[in-house]
Amino acid sequence: MRLASEMPDDYRDGFAQLIDEFDVPKSFPPEVLDAAEVAALRPLGGSDSPHVDRTGVEFLTLDPASSTDLDQAFAIELAGSHSDADVILRYAIADVGWFVRHGDLIDREAWKRGVTVYMPHDRIGLYPPRLAEDAGSLLPGGPKPAVVFVVRIAPDGSVTLDGVERAMIRNRAKLAYSTVSPGDLPPAFPELARRFEIGERNRGADRIQMPEQEVVRRDDGGFDLRFRPRNDAENQNAAMSLATNMAVADALHAAGTGLLRTMPAVDERRVGQLRHTARAFGLEWPKAQALSDFEQSLPAGDPKTSAFQLAVRRASGGAAYEPFDPNVKPWHAAVAATYSHVTAPLRRLADRYVIDAALAVANGDRVSAETEQAFIDLPQAMRQGDSRANRVDRAAIDLAEAVVLLGREGEVFEAVVTDEDDRGARIQVRDPAIVTRVAARRVDPGDDIKVKLASADPAERRVDFERVG
């Protein structure tokens, strides 16, 4: 979620208070900052360095314009001149493991955090800024250490891992989603994304492109909660990360190791709720159409599409991390494949260990005992970090909803009942797109109702509606 730059200070303070309320470890201990400074100066490029020279490869990055913690750089080419030649993706990932060693001060602090926590007004990092936004970030300029994954994408969208190596790379350009043009990107960039979409259709994946929520000022001085859909460049960029994560997961699983990311499918009850949600947004969902097909049929860039995609994300079963189990085939329903997290080590603790295992497996080495033990311990650490980040995100949305509705008390809104239980009816307000509960008897899922805003309290992060009519 992003925050309007002209948001009054008291609302900004409300978002800032979430850090203390949810015990987000904002500042780093002085000894960790000192250790990060020492690590940032660790020599590179010497005769004993494990990094090969790949500075001649035309790597680029593509991120939000304001990002400085750049995990990923890419170079793409076709393996031949014929139309069915494989696409070769060289995906360079920040080599956090070069700066952070198992059991050191930085590592122990990262285990306490688990993930980077994103706020509407701030970012609470997993690693100190000296590493995450400087020495370890794949910013343009001098050579940077990276782990380069070579991924082959076939015409049918299937992916295989061709190699993994530590390398020194040079980022030729820091491209931004908001300003990038097709001419800035490798010619094979859209072909990679097209093939990955073919692969998704073949697998029956229902991957949801998550929109970004924004709190923006209205012309009358109030605020609205809107969705900023992801543009084509963001979706195509996501395909590179997904392809790499899938290829690595397959390689690790075949080697009998790894930390896999799993997610159950949306169950039938929640699909029923989503059908009511779709109707609330005026979206026609044929009865015989599967959720994945319906989502893919929706118009890109439409706020209704964005609102529905967010509802699907909330309805999905919780994702989890699971170490390799020879008796279980790990599955991520949204991707419809075996899947891992490897492409965001500056933002997720687990990725650093998966990278370490991928380096070992791809080069015929044994995965270290430290990494194998980490795969056992990481699910709990990541669950705690993700849980905290999710609670902060949910509280930020609650606060944003109270902010945008403040001053509209007494106004009547149209809504649709999506579910009901002993706590009342869960409703989807049509505009703004808010999910809440209301006391309502004799209603069924799918019913249209009108509700009046009784109160909006940013201090309590709460909105209350009453059924009317």
Side-chain angles (χ1 to χ4, degrees), residues 182-408:
D184 298 326
L185 297 165
F189 185 80
E191 176 63 14
L192 185 155
R194 187 187 73 83
R195 291 187 181 191
F196 195 75
E197 289 177 1
I198 291 172
E200 286 187 316
R201 288 197 295 271
N202 291 340
R203 299 192 311 274
D206 58 357
R207 175 170 57 98
I208 302 301
Q209 307 293 355
M210 285 304 298
E212 183 175 16
Q213 289 181 295
E214 301 173 305
V215 181
V216 296
R217 183 180 285 277
R218 299 193 307 266
D219 292 340
D220 64 4
F223 294 92
D224 269 338
L225 186 62
R226 298 177 182 170
F227 295 98
R228 183 190 68 79
R230 301 202 323 183
N231 61 29
D232 288 343
E234 290 175 272
N235 292 334
Q236 292 169 341
N237 194 37
M240 294 188 293
S241 182
L242 287 161
T244 304
N245 286 333
M246 287 173 54
V248 170
D250 284 342
L252 293 182
H253 191 262
T257 187
L259 184 70
L260 291 310
R261 187 68 165 160
T262 63
M263 175 184 282
V266 179
D267 62 34
E268 287 302 315
R269 183 180 68 83
R270 288 191 171 94
V271 169
Q273 295 173 9
L274 287 171
R275 287 188 175 275
H276 301 314
T277 299
R279 195 168 65 78
F281 295 137
L283 301 172
E284 296 187 10
W285 184 352
K287 287 185 178 180
Q289 190 174 38
L291 171 60
S292 58
D293 294 335
F294 175 62
E295 194 278 329
Q296 292 172 6
S297 73
L298 296 176
D302 190 318
K304 294 179 181 178
T305 298
S306 299
F308 182 77
Q309 288 172 332
L310 187 63
V312 174
R313 176 64 176 269
R314 290 171 175 167
S316 299
Y321 289 94
E322 297 181 12
F324 172 79
D325 182 341
N327 300 312
V328 176
K329 175 68 171 178
W331 199 249
H332 194 292
V335 184
T338 301
Y339 193 66
S340 66
H341 271 166
V342 70
T343 57
L346 290 173
R347 309 175 195 191
R348 293 186 301 245
L349 172 65
D351 295 41
R352 172 159 56 93
Y353 291 92
V354 180
I355 288 172
D356 182 73
L359 274 165
V361 168
N363 293 284
D365 297 327
R366 191 181 191 87
V367 177
S368 71
E370 293 170 341
T371 296
E372 292 287 11
Q373 182 61 46
F375 289 155
I376 296 172
D377 299 335
L378 276 165
Q380 180 178 356
M382 296 303 296
R383 185 164 53 248
Q384 291 173 341
D386 285 338
S387 175
R388 178 165 50 201
N390 291 337
R391 291 198 306 272
V392 170
D393 185 62
R394 181 64 254 177
I397 293 173
D398 290 343
L399 175 54
E401 291 175 348
V403 167
V404 302
L405 289 174
L406 187 65
R408 301 177 69 178

Side-chain angles (χ1 to χ4, degrees), residues 1 15 18 21-22 117-120 213 225 227 310-311 313-315 386-402 426-428 433-437 460-463:
M1 179 187 294
F15 286 108
L18 300 180
E21 181 175 339
F22 292 97
V117 177
Y118 290 91
M119 306 281 290
Q213 289 181 295
L225 186 62
F227 295 98
L310 187 63
R313 176 64 176 269
R314 290 171 175 167
D386 285 338
S387 175
R388 178 165 50 201
N390 291 337
R391 291 198 306 272
V392 170
D393 185 62
R394 181 64 254 177
I397 293 173
D398 290 343
L399 175 54
E401 291 175 348
R426 184 184 295 276
I427 62 172
Q428 174 75 62
I434 291 174
V435 177
T436 187
R437 289 184 182 273
E460 295 293 329
R461 301 193 300 272
R462 178 172 175 171
V463 296

Side-chain angles (χ1 to χ4, degrees), residues 118-182:
Y118 290 91
M119 306 281 290
H121 69 299
D122 202 0
R123 177 179 64 224
I124 315 301
L126 174 63
Y127 296 107
R130 181 68 169 93
L131 298 181
E133 301 176 49
D134 185 10
S137 176
L138 302 182
L139 292 162
K144 291 297 186 81
V147 177
V148 178
F149 294 84
V150 182
V151 180
R152 186 177 292 268
I153 300 94
D156 64 357
S158 59
V159 299
T160 53
L161 185 66
D162 263 14
V164 187
E165 64 179 5
R166 275 196 152 107
M168 297 301 297
I169 71 159
R170 190 185 301 276
N171 179 4
R172 294 298 199 274
K174 180 180 183 290
L175 305 177
Y177 294 137
S178 57
T179 59
V180 67
S181 66

